[in-house]
Amino acid sequence: MPHCTKCGTMVADNAAYCPNCGQAQGVPGGAAGAPATQPGTGLQENVAGLLCYVLGWITGLIFFVIDKRPYVRFHAAQAIVTFGGLHLLQIILGGWIFGRGMFHWGFFGMGALSGLIGLVSLVLWILLMVKAYQGERFKVPLAGDLAEKLAAR
């Protein structure tokens, strides 16, 4: 049985991707000797993983639909779950739905919390892009587990 060129995990003879890290295995020809095609965008996996996070949940959704490689699909799902959830939370706490335009202390407290969520989003955005580009499958607590389940579908 061959081993993955990236992580060393044993893979099946006809496996197109490593079941552990998602690295393409370069299967020589499919049925009837046709050349193996690489699904997705034609980008390297680490670059596609990075691009999943560029515009938060929006690019995550785009890559989730167009690229079926496990590594890219995980990062796309994590971008959707992480930044989609943080975006909704920031909208609610930022006063777009509750208290829009109201001038009272509760509103200012929610605005501060919204600013903190914005800072957390910025740090996560940079961290996740760097980790994806480095080829790591870094999981955000809670969101990473949901993303794995979503990506497996």
Side-chain angles (χ1 to χ4, degrees):
M1 227 179 193
H3 291 81
C4 174
T5 57
K6 184 174 181 182
C7 70
T9 303
M10 291 180 62
V11 294
D13 291 332
N14 61 349
Y17 299 97
C18 173
N20 184 42
C21 69
Q23 174 71 24
Q25 296 301 306
V27 177
T37 59
Q38 185 174 5
T41 59
L43 297 170
Q44 292 179 356
E45 282 185 317
N46 64 332
V47 174
L50 175 143
L51 292 175
C52 289
Y53 297 108
V54 169
L55 295 177
W57 63 269
I58 297 169
T59 49
L61 185 61
I62 292 168
F63 275 89
F64 190 79
V65 171
I66 65 172
D67 201 322
K68 301 301 181 194
R69 294 176 288 183
Y71 180 79
V72 177
R73 199 162 165 86
F74 166 76
H75 284 291
Q78 184 163 257
I80 294 167
V81 172
T82 302
F83 295 110
L86 286 171
H87 189 220
L88 286 175
L89 192 60
Q90 193 170 28
I91 288 171
I92 291 168
L93 295 178
W96 284 80
I97 295 173
F98 301 110
R100 178 88 175 147
M102 295 177 69
F103 191 72
H104 58 81
W105 289 108
F107 176 73
F108 290 118
M110 292 298 183
L113 192 53
S114 177
L116 180 63
I117 292 169
L119 181 62
V120 168
S121 296
L122 176 66
V123 170
L124 276 175
W125 180 63
I126 294 168
L127 175 71
L128 291 172
M129 285 194 298
V130 168
K131 293 294 188 180
Y133 186 73
Q134 291 174 342
E136 292 184 38
R137 201 174 181 134
F138 181 81
K139 286 177 27 177
V140 175
L142 300 174
D145 294 332
L146 285 171
E148 277 187 338
K149 290 176 185 172
L150 183 62
R153 291 184 183 179

